[in-house]
Amino acid sequence: MTQVLTDTACALVPGHVTGCFGVCRADDPVATGSIGAGVAIGDPIEVTVRPPTTPDGGIQADKRREHPYGQTQFNGEHLTIAPVDRLRRILGVSMDIEVTSPFPLGAGFGVSGAVTLGTALATTVVTDRTATQAEITKQAHIAEVEAATGLGDVVAQATGGMVLRLEPGADGTIDTIPAQGRVEYLVLGDLSTPAVLHDDTEALTAAGQQALERITTTPTPETFVQAANAFAEDAGLYTDAVVEVIDAVEAAGGQAIMSMLGETVVAFGTGLSDAGYEPAMTTIDHAGARLGSDCF
Amino acid sequence: MTQVLTDTACALVPGHVTGCFGVCRADDPVATGSIGAGVAIGDPIEVTVRPPTTPDGGIQADKRREHPYGQTQFNGEHLTIAPVDRLRRILGVSMDIEVTSPFPLGAGFGVSGAVTLGTALATTVVTDRTATQAEITKQAHIAEVEAATGLGDVVAQATGGMVLRLEPGADGTIDTIPAQGRVEYLVLGDLSTPAVLHDDTEALTAAGQQALERITTTPTPETFVQAANAFAEDAGLYTDAVVEVIDAVEAAGGQAIMSMLGETVVAFGTGLSDAGYEPAMTTIDHAGARLGSDCF
């Protein structure tokens, strides 16, 4: 039976930039996922869950019939985020979702995972479905895997920091690399996650495993950057536009990587600014997904 | 061979208030620890590691001979924190440590664990000892267990949030409860951790296991508070002064617990203020231990 949300709650979830990854599929979506390394960044994405607009809510009536589990507004625009719809169905909770995100969709920031995780987390405190962070992460991971929009963002976003996914799936072992500081990014275009993940991923996964092994041998931010760049090269994921920007950052003495999977360059410190670009700025987020409003 | 630190680094680590716990001893300090539940709170404790003052450093010369691995300054005072001295010996690194802490030592905020973890983390980025967060946490946990100053603070402080220690030790399973908001605290006195932990802990551990089971069955902040209070009662750890304050907070409609192991009352929301006390204020810390300075 569908529960209709009657109260409002908010969650904050970082974006997640993947530097390298390997695809690990299993029959169970919980065990399906990716190994790899990435970095959680914020200002966080704000996800607010609200009671759904009523079927006779004036201009929303058509949309209400279209979205029986509620609507999603992303930075003011109504749109569909597949794993979020799936999560609402899995939970059996009807609610509207309002997202304020500094990061665009489809540019390699794991926004679909963040919104799904934020929805699962915020829903927990306004329904009688109590759950721990691990259970919430699992719900969101399953929805994202089944929607084929991501494989590893959710678990990394639940953790925060510079995250190593040593094993795939919702229950896989996670660790982090000590890292701190300013992050700059420049969105050049977009790549479709489902398209890349449905290609033959054997060579990509071998490159991802090699990159992860390199990072775990010497777990520092510098190794992360080097391994991510070697991975992008080996896996054939670089675009000309990305290579041009990364080369310019390196020529200016900085460090940058391509975000998987988006046509986005992410630099650490002032790498993109120093190279003369006008990037957006943020920082590493260490908190991971958390509630945005008092729960006492 | 002892390495002498030549560079400076800083780490930020939350305090940790334990609500309930059980003691689990093993031959291996890595596996020794506690199960239980607690909450990481900040403003974080700042731990700065520096090159040690030289043996001929004027007035410091005596102290230098006393502390071959370097000195520790805590809120401006020179003192000895046993697990920190042990960690410096284990790592074989000589350095001075400067701590700025909003929380006092010996009052149930896990300060010894925080300083030890912060030292291990900050040291990683200014030596060639690269390590992941899990390895750093293990180093600090071992030092704290061997010094008998704590059993579960370090792993909780590495994680952040309202932390469930489902299994003991540095590698034990950890989860968190969704929780957010203001925390107030009032220090009434101190209790000695080593004294309590060296008593017969069988009844205490049975009470701790029962409390943890109650929390995992319904993982909410409210259950955490109820289970922590039942634990303090069952384990016979309440003092009269603590009971008086908790009763007053509850009479004013609030929620408060006793911090294990200190004579400190911790309230959520505005519980202590509402009851007419003048508490210190802070918030739940979700980030856990992280570097305090840029590492790029």
Side-chain angles (χ1 to χ4, degrees):
Chain A
M1 218 190 85
T2 304
Q3 182 178 357
V4 177
L5 211 67
T6 56
D7 213 341
T8 295
C10 170
L12 305 175
V13 187
H16 179 244
V17 167
T18 298
C20 62
F21 70 103
V23 176
C24 310
R25 297 203 181 278
D27 290 338
D28 184 356
V30 173
T32 296
S34 57
I35 52 127
V39 58
I41 57 173
D43 303 331
I45 296 161
E46 279 187 46
V47 182
T48 303
V49 300
R50 299 185 190 286
T53 50
T54 55
D56 51 4
I59 55 159
Q60 306 294 357
D62 291 350
K63 287 191 187 289
R64 176 89 188 100
R65 277 189 293 273
E66 234 175 85
H67 304 284
Y69 286 94
Q71 301 177 46
T72 306
Q73 244 192 26
F74 184 87
N75 287 345
E77 271 183 72
H78 283 280
L79 48 75
T80 298
I81 301 176
V84 173
D85 286 354
R86 191 169 279 265
L87 177 73
R88 280 187 281 210
R89 271 201 304 280
I90 293 171
L91 296 178
V93 179
S94 174
M95 61 186 131
D96 282 355
I97 296 162
E98 192 184 312
V99 183
T100 306
S101 173
F103 309 113
L105 275 159
F109 295 101
V111 172
S112 65
V115 178
T116 309
L117 180 56
T119 301
L121 176 56
T123 304
T124 305
V125 295
V126 282
T127 62
D128 49 9
R129 296 182 150 269
T130 60
T132 64
Q133 182 76 47
E135 292 157 355
I136 291 162
T137 302
K138 194 179 288 186
Q139 291 166 350
H141 177 80
I142 291 171
E144 172 109 313
V145 166
E146 289 184 347
T149 46
L151 289 169
D153 288 323
V154 167
V155 292
Q157 286 163 330
T159 306
M162 190 170 271
V163 182
L164 304 178
R165 283 166 285 126
L166 302 173
E167 294 168 352
D171 296 329
T173 303
I174 294 281
D175 202 347
T176 60
I177 301 173
Q180 176 68 290
R182 171 172 163 143
V183 174
E184 296 185 340
Y185 59 93
L186 195 64
V187 177
L188 305 172
D190 58 6
L191 290 175
S192 167
T193 299
V196 174
L197 295 186
H198 281 133
D199 283 355
D200 174 19
T201 53
E202 205 172 309
L204 178 147
T205 296
Q209 280 164 337
Q210 202 178 352
L212 183 58
E213 203 177 302
R214 185 168 169 185
I215 298 170
T216 53
T217 303
T218 314
T220 65
E222 291 69 29
T223 312
F224 168 76
V225 170
Q226 289 157 10
N229 282 323
F231 169 77
E233 181 80 46
D234 293 350
L237 289 167
Y238 271 144
T239 66
D240 290 346
V242 164
V243 169
E244 189 185 314
V245 177
I246 291 180
D247 284 351
V249 171
E250 288 178 357
Q255 293 178 309
I257 64 169
M258 175 180 173
S259 176
M260 308 293 157
L261 293 163
E263 200 171 12
T264 294
V265 176
V266 176
F268 298 97
T270 53
L272 280 160
S273 304
D274 292 348
Y277 295 98
E278 292 186 4
M281 277 172 271
T282 186
T283 56
I284 297 176
D285 177 292
H286 297 279
R290 65 271 191 194
L291 292 174
S293 26
D294 277 11
C295 58
F296 287 98
Chain B
M1 217 190 87
T2 304
Q3 181 178 357
V4 177
L5 213 65
T6 55
D7 213 341
T8 294
C10 169
L12 306 175
V13 187
H16 179 245
V17 166
T18 298
C20 62
F21 70 102
V23 176
C24 310
R25 297 203 180 278
D27 290 339
D28 183 356
V30 174
T32 295
S34 57
I35 52 126
V39 58
I41 57 174
D43 305 335
I45 296 161
E46 279 186 46
V47 182
T48 304
V49 300
R50 298 184 191 287
T53 49
T54 55
D56 50 2
I59 56 161
Q60 306 294 357
D62 290 351
K63 287 190 186 289
R64 177 90 187 101
R65 277 188 292 272
E66 236 175 82
H67 304 282
Y69 285 94
Q71 302 178 45
T72 306
Q73 243 192 24
F74 184 86
N75 286 346
E77 271 183 72
H78 281 279
L79 48 74
T80 297
I81 301 176
V84 173
D85 286 354
R86 189 170 282 264
L87 177 74
R88 280 186 281 211
R89 270 202 305 279
I90 292 171
L91 296 179
V93 178
S94 175
M95 61 187 132
D96 281 356
I97 296 163
E98 191 183 313
V99 183
T100 306
S101 173
F103 310 114
L105 275 159
F109 294 101
V111 172
S112 65
V115 178
T116 310
L117 180 55
T119 301
L121 176 55
T123 304
T124 305
V125 294
V126 281
T127 62
D128 49 10
R129 295 183 150 270
T130 61
T132 65
Q133 182 75 46
E135 292 158 355
I136 291 163
T137 302
K138 193 178 290 185
Q139 290 166 350
H141 176 81
I142 292 171
E144 173 109 313
V145 165
E146 290 184 347
T149 47
L151 289 167
D153 289 323
V154 167
V155 291
Q157 287 163 329
T159 305
M162 190 171 271
V163 182
L164 305 178
R165 283 165 285 126
L166 303 173
E167 294 169 351
D171 296 329
T173 303
I174 293 282
D175 203 347
T176 60
I177 301 174
Q180 175 68 291
R182 170 171 162 145
V183 174
E184 297 185 342
Y185 58 93
L186 196 64
V187 177
L188 305 171
D190 59 7
L191 290 175
S192 167
T193 298
V196 174
L197 295 186
H198 282 132
D199 284 354
D200 174 18
T201 54
E202 206 171 308
L204 178 146
T205 296
Q209 279 164 337
Q210 204 178 351
L212 183 58
E213 204 176 302
R214 186 169 169 184
I215 299 170
T216 52
T217 303
T218 314
T220 66
E222 291 69 28
T223 312
F224 168 75
V225 169
Q226 289 157 12
N229 282 323
F231 169 77
E233 181 79 47
D234 293 350
L237 289 167
Y238 271 144
T239 67
D240 291 345
V242 164
V243 169
E244 190 184 314
V245 177
I246 291 180
D247 284 351
V249 170
E250 287 178 358
Q255 294 178 308
I257 64 169
M258 175 181 173
S259 176
M260 309 292 158
L261 294 161
E263 200 170 13
T264 294
V265 176
V266 177
F268 298 96
T270 53
L272 280 160
S273 305
D274 292 348
Y277 295 98
E278 291 186 5
M281 278 172 272
T282 187
T283 56
I284 298 176
D285 176 292
H286 297 279
R290 65 272 189 193
L291 292 174
S293 27
D294 277 11
C295 59
F296 286 98

